[in-house]
Amino acid sequence: MNNFTYKKVETITDAVQEVSKNKRANFIAGGTNLIDLWKYDLAHPEALIDINSVSSLKKIELLTSGELSLGALVTNSDTAYNDIVSSKYPLLSRAILAGASAQIRNSATNGGNLLQRTRCYYFYDKTAPCNKRNSGSGCPAKEGLNRMHAILGSSESCIAVFPSDMCVALSALSASVNVSGPNGDRQIAFENFHRLPEDQPQLDNTLQADEIITALILPDEDFSEHYSYLKLRDRNSYAFALVSVATAMTLENGLIKEIRIALGGVAHKPWRVPEAEDFLVGIKPSRYNFAEAAKIILKGAKGYGGNDFKIELSARAIVRNCMMALDPETQRPGAQPSL
């Protein structure tokens, strides 16, 4: 039995105050990952702080700067189907709708999506050693079942991957994360929000224990004409990515003016390599050039036996998705990317 206290709050200030009182307190909103962790005996909150009544976190609004603010408590479904998101940031809509199931998307929140834990088999098996659960106990995935695991950015301590689809698109869109804590508000560039495992794999992100995510901020940029999200998985629905790719692109006079490429399913965080994007700027979009960029993105990639195939799969996925981004109509079922 895991005894716990429960309290509803109605303001961000109250939420921060409550979580600051107890290091083993947890915010609860959609609860789609927390409840799983609890059922598997991996989370043991002493206090649940229900933030569902904090109305200021439930808004999607255009800011005077032209940026779009996505409230942390807006559900994934409401975000994906929002008129502004689907028209101005269709890449984000596609990525969200590729994840989980409709029922989960109806409950899962934007803030919670960023905070979900890995789905590594060994992490969820309490009888197995796991450095993410018990520092120093080992990482059996390196020699064991690692089909789903990292090929980039891993460490001797951990080769787990971050499972979100939404976050891959947010990375490609250069989003930022607004958070609030006892010391005030701050904004974290999306690329700095999630961590690589290094020697502290138990730390998934740079959010402090007494901070709360308040909003995701999307820059005032238009990638609505050339974009694509590709998710490769073992079955067509309700499965985590073996490899996913988010591409956002603008063209000018037949050449690439700007491009963003982010990978999911391959690292402890969404994987983006600015060097590869810089290589593509000013040149013709072609399979050959995208393949050269893929080599840059996958430099240093390392498999662990069961996931060796993901290196070649990632290279092919990058090329395919970038070609699809040239004409989003190719994303229709059965359509083929242009040659």
Side-chain angles (χ1 to χ4, degrees):
M1 176 67 70
N2 184 173
N3 293 322
F4 62 95
T5 62
Y6 172 85
K7 185 170 184 178
K8 268 195 170 186
V9 295
E10 296 185 355
T11 69
I12 294 171
T13 300
D14 289 344
V16 171
Q17 287 178 348
E18 288 297 323
V19 80
S20 297
K21 294 177 184 178
N22 187 341
K23 292 183 178 180
R24 292 186 62 182
N26 284 85
F27 292 125
I28 187 164
T32 54
N33 191 205
L34 175 61
I35 301 304
D36 276 347
L37 295 169
W38 206 339
K39 288 191 296 186
Y40 277 87
D41 200 22
L42 302 179
H44 311 96
E46 291 182 352
L48 287 185
I49 303 162
D50 189 335
I51 58 175
N52 283 293
S53 295
V54 183
S55 58
S56 61
L57 303 182
K58 296 183 175 182
K59 302 175 182 177
I60 295 180
E61 55 185 343
L62 277 172
L63 306 178
T64 55
S65 62
E67 297 171 312
L68 184 65
S69 174
L70 307 174
L73 282 182
V74 180
T75 67
N76 289 174
S77 289
D78 285 345
T79 300
Y81 291 115
N82 177 268
D83 289 342
I84 300 174
V85 174
S86 58
S87 61
K88 190 173 182 181
Y89 306 97
L91 174 62
L92 180 58
S93 290
R94 292 286 179 102
I96 292 173
L97 295 175
S101 65
Q103 293 91 337
I104 290 176
R105 294 194 298 267
N106 287 340
S107 297
T109 62
N110 291 338
N113 193 291
L114 273 62
L115 299 176
Q116 60 184 298
R117 306 298 306 273
T118 182
R119 273 24 179 226
C120 171
Y121 330 115
Y122 299 101
F123 173 75
Y124 269 84
D125 181 359
K126 194 181 177 184
T127 65
C130 173
N131 287 325
K132 288 185 75 65
R133 281 189 287 101
N134 184 14
S135 181
S137 63
C139 178
K142 290 190 297 183
E143 303 295 332
L145 299 173
N146 49 45
R147 173 177 169 79
M148 299 291 294
H149 288 67
I151 57 172
L152 291 162
S154 59
S155 72
E156 287 300 309
S157 298
C158 182
I159 63 170
V161 298
F162 183 62
S164 171
D165 290 286
M166 178 180 181
C167 287
V168 183
L170 290 172
S171 177
L173 293 170
S174 294
S176 56
V177 185
N178 284 359
V179 305
S180 184
N183 298 318
D185 302 333
R186 66 186 179 115
Q187 187 171 84
I188 308 170
F190 201 81
E191 63 186 15
N192 297 326
F193 185 81
H194 295 102
R195 297 180 69 259
L196 292 179
E198 299 173 335
D199 60 353
Q200 292 184 297
Q202 73 277 14
L203 301 178
D204 293 330
N205 54 66
T206 57
L207 189 73
Q208 300 300 310
D210 52 4
E211 289 182 320
I212 184 173
I213 297 173
T214 57
L216 311 178
I217 307 298
L218 298 178
D220 183 18
E221 297 175 312
D222 188 357
F223 291 106
S224 60
E225 290 189 20
H226 304 293
Y227 66 90
S228 181
Y229 185 71
L230 176 64
K231 182 176 183 178
L232 303 178
R233 45 189 164 173
D234 285 325
R235 58 180 185 269
N236 285 334
S237 66
Y238 201 48
F240 296 106
L242 292 167
V243 175
S244 63
V245 189
T247 302
M249 187 188 327
T250 58
L251 303 177
E252 186 174 73
N253 299 321
L255 303 179
I256 298 172
K257 181 180 180 182
E258 187 171 6
I259 188 167
R260 314 270 182 77
I261 304 171
L263 272 64
V266 298
H268 205 253
K269 60 184 289 186
W271 192 262
R272 188 174 159 198
V273 180
E275 180 187 352
E277 298 168 2
D278 292 343
F279 163 77
L280 289 168
V281 171
I283 63 178
K284 182 180 178 181
S286 68
R287 289 184 179 275
Y288 174 82
N289 287 331
F290 292 141
E292 291 299 302
K295 292 177 184 177
I296 299 172
I297 294 171
L298 296 170
K299 184 178 180 181
K302 175 186 176 182
Y304 292 86
N307 67 346
D308 291 351
F309 72 96
K310 290 177 72 169
I311 300 175
E312 178 64 19
L313 183 66
S314 297
R316 291 173 179 266
I318 291 167
V319 175
R320 178 183 171 191
N321 196 57
C322 288
M323 293 300 295
M324 290 169 66
L326 295 174
D327 180 7
E329 283 298 306
T330 59
Q331 298 176 47
R332 291 181 292 103
Q336 296 296 319
S338 56
L339 301 175

